[in-house]
Amino acid sequence: MDFDAANAIGQQGEEAISRELQVLQQEYGLQFLHDVLILDCKQTAQIDHIVVDTYGVLVIEAKVRTGALILGTDVEKKWTACYPGKKHKSFQNPLAQNRQHEAVLRKALKECGEPVDADHVKSVVVFSGANTSELDLSTLERQRVIDVSELRRFFQQRHDFAITTALPEVEQVRMLAAIRGMDRSGDPDALRRHVSGQPYHRTQPSRSEAPRAPAPIMPSSWQQAATPIPVRTESRFGRRLKAVLWDLTVRVAAIGVLALVWWWFFMGPGSPWLSDFLTSGFKSTSAQVAEPAPAATPTRPPLDQAKSALADRFPDIYPKVANIDSPVVGTKNGYWTYTWEYVVKSAYNAATVRQITLLLNDSGEVTGFEKE
């Protein structure tokens, strides 16, 4: 299949995802770009969709394989689309594609002065019209391969179980502007290099000359924040110098406060008060201070409530837990943690022991989870 035919088929999947993202845009306050081409010294990355929201950046790879059964594993370089009539077509592992796209995007953002933490860059593969039930994937990778009909559920889980620190709207606007500035999808020479696989030697026009994708429709709060804030161009040396000067200022201020307190107690108006306190004795003074009331002991949620929460949230994992009545109970960030071990079979029937942890508040409500 030539490039134009493959591009036409891929366009169908991208349009289906675009329609779904437009519906979710107002509900979750997200913004997105389509068909973004980013150039690097050694490679190019053409990303079907990039979503920017309060949880970071989401890279979406769209795949249209109508009526095909998809076969593949986490580590295979190629996956296979099996069509009726014994027609098989191989294609690049989309999970590996997304890992490459994540790396190129993080590097490009760092070079333009908008570094982003790896926890704030995620990816997902969205199939349209394909059966992915036979893919041999780990639990984590399975969550990164969905059907277009599951996109709403994916964003609901992204919203309910977000563990990363939320990005302020200002950071979201800057990141979106930086990605739009790096996009070379309207540059014919850049597109030719991407199709032919030629390396890029930074001969593209400057940002002011290069064509850009149309601006996305933003909520009013984004537009107000985006108007006065330019993309940062400050050098790494300048940022480091500012950090050193700020640290020095804080230290000098702290020393000044301590010196002022010392003068007030030993040489200033506080000197008589300090003398009276020392001569009156510590015992009489301490006796007048009421002992603080003992802190209330938080109530740990019952085991049955934690087990019920595990069965509701992860019905596929619950039967695989070895000792459902003997979890490891602890605390983390003010929440109760219940940790179980369960067994997962890999591609060659080898058993792997994994862990899942539920985070519950004192009322027994699930506030998050962690999976190994």
Side-chain angles (χ1 to χ4, degrees):
M1 182 182 299
D2 59 16
F3 175 77
D4 292 335
N7 188 51
I9 294 176
Q11 189 70 22
Q12 300 175 14
E14 294 182 24
E15 291 175 356
I17 296 174
S18 297
R19 290 192 295 269
E20 189 66 20
L21 289 176
Q22 290 172 0
V23 175
L24 299 173
Q25 185 176 34
Q26 297 300 324
E27 184 174 349
Y28 292 101
L30 57 87
Q31 295 299 319
F32 57 91
L33 299 173
H34 307 299
D35 194 24
V36 178
L37 181 61
I38 298 178
L39 303 180
D40 188 35
C41 294
K42 298 181 179 179
Q43 57 190 347
T44 61
Q46 189 169 31
I47 304 175
D48 296 333
H49 306 274
I50 298 180
V51 174
V52 179
D53 59 11
T54 186
Y55 311 113
V57 181
L58 179 66
V59 174
I60 300 179
E61 176 68 22
K63 294 294 182 184
V64 179
R65 299 294 185 271
T66 305
L69 175 66
I70 309 300
L71 301 177
T73 66
D74 304 36
V75 297
E76 289 178 337
K77 293 183 178 180
K78 296 285 186 178
W79 285 7
T80 304
C82 303
Y83 294 90
K86 298 183 179 181
K87 293 174 59 179
H88 302 321
K89 294 184 178 180
S90 61
F91 60 98
Q92 186 179 354
N93 183 338
L95 292 173
Q97 278 185 281
N98 271 347
R99 286 192 290 269
Q100 175 188 345
H101 292 168
E102 289 182 37
V104 172
L105 183 58
R106 286 199 304 269
K107 181 180 178 182
L109 286 172
K110 182 178 180 181
E111 289 178 349
C112 75
E114 289 295 334
V116 58
D117 190 80
D119 291 337
H120 282 119
V121 180
K122 304 296 182 182
S123 62
V124 63
V125 180
V126 181
F127 277 92
S128 178
N131 181 0
T132 61
S133 61
E134 297 300 321
L135 286 171
D136 188 6
L137 305 175
S138 66
T139 303
L140 179 60
E141 297 293 6
R142 166 56 65 181
Q143 296 176 355
R144 296 175 178 171
V145 179
I146 63 174
D147 186 77
V148 65
S149 61
E150 301 174 307
L151 201 56
R152 173 176 291 275
R153 179 179 60 84
F154 177 86
F155 274 95
Q156 182 66 47
Q157 292 178 342
R158 179 176 170 88
H159 175 77
D160 292 342
F161 300 103
I163 299 178
T164 56
T165 305
L167 288 178
E169 284 190 355
V170 172
E171 293 296 327
Q172 298 175 46
V173 171
R174 283 176 168 166
M175 196 171 298
L176 188 69
I179 295 174
R180 290 185 60 241
M182 295 183 296
D183 181 21
R184 294 294 177 267
S185 57
D187 185 349
D189 181 64
L191 185 61
R192 177 183 58 81
R193 292 176 182 273
H194 173 71
V195 174
S196 63
Q198 296 178 2
Y200 180 68
H201 299 293
R202 299 193 181 277
T203 57
Q204 84 276 23
S206 63
R207 287 188 177 184
S208 60
E209 300 172 347
R212 297 185 179 182
I217 301 175
M218 298 183 181
S220 58
S221 61
W222 278 48
Q223 293 173 353
Q224 294 171 2
T227 301
I229 302 176
V231 177
R232 289 185 307 206
T233 57
E234 188 178 9
S235 66
R236 180 183 299 178
F237 174 78
R239 293 196 298 271
R240 181 170 296 180
L241 179 60
K242 281 187 176 180
V244 172
L245 292 177
W246 173 253
D247 182 68
L248 182 60
T249 302
V250 171
R251 291 175 182 269
V252 171
I255 293 173
V257 170
L258 291 176
L260 181 62
V261 171
W262 181 88
W263 174 86
W264 192 86
F265 275 111
F266 292 96
M267 300 179 64
S271 178
W273 181 87
L274 180 61
S275 300
D276 293 341
F277 175 77
L278 294 177
T279 56
S280 63
F282 292 100
K283 292 184 179 181
S284 59
T285 305
S286 60
Q288 298 173 4
V289 180
E291 294 184 359
T297 303
T299 304
R300 189 179 75 182
L303 175 60
D304 291 341
Q305 198 168 7
K307 290 164 55 178
S308 176
L310 178 65
D312 291 341
R313 295 275 182 166
F314 302 98
D316 56 328
I317 294 179
Y318 186 86
K320 301 176 184 179
V321 176
N323 297 309
I324 192 63
D325 293 321
S326 302
V328 177
V329 182
T331 58
K332 182 177 182 180
N333 297 332
Y335 297 103
W336 291 98
T337 60
Y338 287 78
T339 303
W340 291 272
E341 291 186 345
Y342 63 97
V343 179
V344 177
K345 290 185 178 180
S346 62
Y348 302 100
N349 291 326
T352 302
V353 178
R354 300 182 181 275
Q355 288 184 345
I356 182 167
T357 300
L358 292 184
L359 282 73
L360 284 74
N361 58 22
D362 293 343
S363 301
E365 299 175 345
V366 177
T367 61
F369 71 93
E370 297 177 357
K371 292 172 64 178
E372 182 180 290

